[in-house]
Amino acid sequence: MEEQYNGTIDPACLQEPPLALDVIKQMDVFGMILYSMLTFMSGISLLLYLEQCAYIYKKLPYPKKTTIIWISGAAPVIATMACFGMWVPRAVIITDMTSNCYFAVVVYKVLILLVEELGGSRAFLERFSGKTFKISTGPCCCCCPCLPRVPMSRFLLFLLKLGALQYAILKTFLSILSIILWTNGNYDAADVRITSPAIWINPFIGVLIILSLWPVAIVFMNSNSLLRSLRIIPKYAMYQLILVLSQLQTSIINILALDGTIACSPPFSSQARGSLLSQQIMIMEMFIISLYTRFLYRRTYETLPTEAHDNEKNNEADLEAALPEHDV
């Protein structure tokens, strides 16, 4: 980017992100307090998560406990990686891709949690055997209400799991490939030329995440009424909130930085300063989400009633409603 310098722009705004030591040397009192508070918040998030992992491991059965450990760790892991990226600006690409790879696994684990809360794959298929699933849900087909309902089967459940799993696998592979290209100087997220690898990799990852969110939304929309007692709606809402904050919010800030809306502040260029603001905001948001997620998952629930039990209660209610009323 140095060849773009025309004498009117501070040369510091065209340089690479500063080293961690340079950040510390140029830090004033307010910066030191801010960095210390954000580091403390990310550290508390991680410590509370580790304590919660020990609690869940002791209290919940396998495989539900491993699934919940993965999901509840999304916010603390993202906060921890954002803290590393805040202190070491040149490592932002590695910390961001680590967070995104972890969340890619969380997307798959959310679908597994929905199935496990209903007793596992076998119980899930037995409960929904002969029933149809609505597939006109977001983010792919929310605007297509005319789509037919699809009968639940073992093959359909396999396709739903595969649709969520593909993002975890391909996102990890593409992230490793991007880091390899970055170390060789071939990958630059700010490079929008047609020959840039970033212009091909990033849109493809966007398509993958949309395709992975669709199966999770299908299972949730067709089973959330059965899982209300397990607080599945706020759990799903937290998962969606982390998705928006870690993906959409970060993308918006990066676009503003590339556009020059976020001004450079030596030793940070516009792009580096945008990344710094994104990391700092992310730490505060993930700290709050970590506390609420701990409240949602640090508890045990009674086993969900079987479908036969639900039908029996519904029959009893219908029978009581059918009995004639008598005046005393």
Side-chain angles (χ1 to χ4, degrees), residues 192-267:
V192 295
R193 293 176 299 177
I194 194 66
T195 57
S196 172
I199 203 67
W200 296 97
I201 293 177
N202 293 337
F204 183 61
I205 291 177
V207 174
L208 293 179
I209 191 172
I210 291 176
L211 293 178
S212 68
L213 295 176
W214 189 30
V216 182
I218 290 175
V219 176
F220 173 77
M221 293 300 296
N222 289 275
S223 63
N224 70 84
S225 60
L226 302 173
L227 301 173
R228 290 181 182 272
S229 62
L230 305 182
R231 297 193 175 184
I232 198 63
I233 294 180
K235 291 177 182 178
Y236 188 80
M238 287 299 101
Y239 143 78
Q240 292 280 352
L241 182 60
I242 294 175
L243 170 67
V244 171
L245 295 177
S246 63
Q247 304 294 325
L248 182 60
Q249 175 183 268
T250 302
S251 299
I252 292 175
I253 294 177
N254 290 336
I255 291 173
L256 293 177
L258 292 174
D259 187 55
T261 304
I262 299 178
C264 71
S265 178

Side-chain angles (χ1 to χ4, degrees), residues 27-39:
M27 193 177 298
D28 55 10
V29 176
F30 174 76
M32 183 61 69
I33 295 175
L34 177 62
Y35 272 59
S36 299
M37 289 181 59
L38 294 176
T39 303

Side-chain angles (χ1 to χ4, degrees), residues 34-218:
L34 177 62
Y35 272 59
S36 299
M37 289 181 59
L38 294 176
T39 303
F40 176 77
M41 293 170 69
S42 62
I44 291 297
S45 299
L46 184 59
L47 290 176
L48 291 177
Y49 169 63
L50 294 177
E51 189 274 336
Q52 181 179 344
C53 288
Y55 175 85
I56 293 174
Y57 190 81
K58 293 179 181 178
K59 298 293 183 179
L60 297 182
Y62 179 85
K64 185 185 295 186
K65 60 184 177 183
T66 57
T67 303
I68 293 179
I69 287 175
W70 268 99
I71 297 175
S72 60
V77 169
I78 293 175
T80 303
M81 290 297 104
C83 184
F84 285 133
M86 179 183 66
W87 283 102
V88 189
R90 293 195 179 185
V92 166
I93 185 173
I94 297 177
T95 58
D96 283 351
M97 288 186 177
T98 302
S99 300
N100 292 335
C101 289
Y102 185 95
F103 189 77
V105 179
V106 169
V107 173
Y108 171 70
K109 290 296 183 180
V110 170
L111 187 146
I112 296 300
L113 177 64
L114 294 171
V115 176
E116 290 296 331
E117 293 287 21
L118 289 168
S121 298
R122 178 176 298 179
F124 182 89
L125 292 172
E126 291 177 355
R127 181 182 289 268
F128 292 104
S129 177
K131 298 181 181 179
T132 57
F133 268 34
K134 177 183 178 181
I135 62 173
S136 56
T137 62
C140 289
C141 300
C142 55
C143 57
C144 302
C146 58
L147 289 177
R149 298 177 68 93
V150 179
M152 174 49 61
S153 63
R154 186 177 299 275
F155 181 67
L156 177 60
L157 181 60
F158 169 77
L159 289 180
L160 294 175
K161 289 183 177 180
L162 182 63
L165 182 61
Q166 54 83 22
Y167 177 57
I169 297 174
L170 295 178
K171 170 60 180 176
T172 303
F173 170 76
L174 292 175
S175 295
I176 295 174
L177 177 62
S178 299
I179 292 176
I180 293 174
L181 295 175
W182 173 70
T183 56
N184 196 47
N186 302 117
Y187 182 90
D188 183 7
D191 190 355
V192 295
R193 293 176 299 177
I194 194 66
T195 57
S196 172
I199 203 67
W200 296 97
I201 293 177
N202 293 337
F204 183 61
I205 291 177
V207 174
L208 293 179
I209 191 172
I210 291 176
L211 293 178
S212 68
L213 295 176
W214 189 30
V216 182
I218 290 175

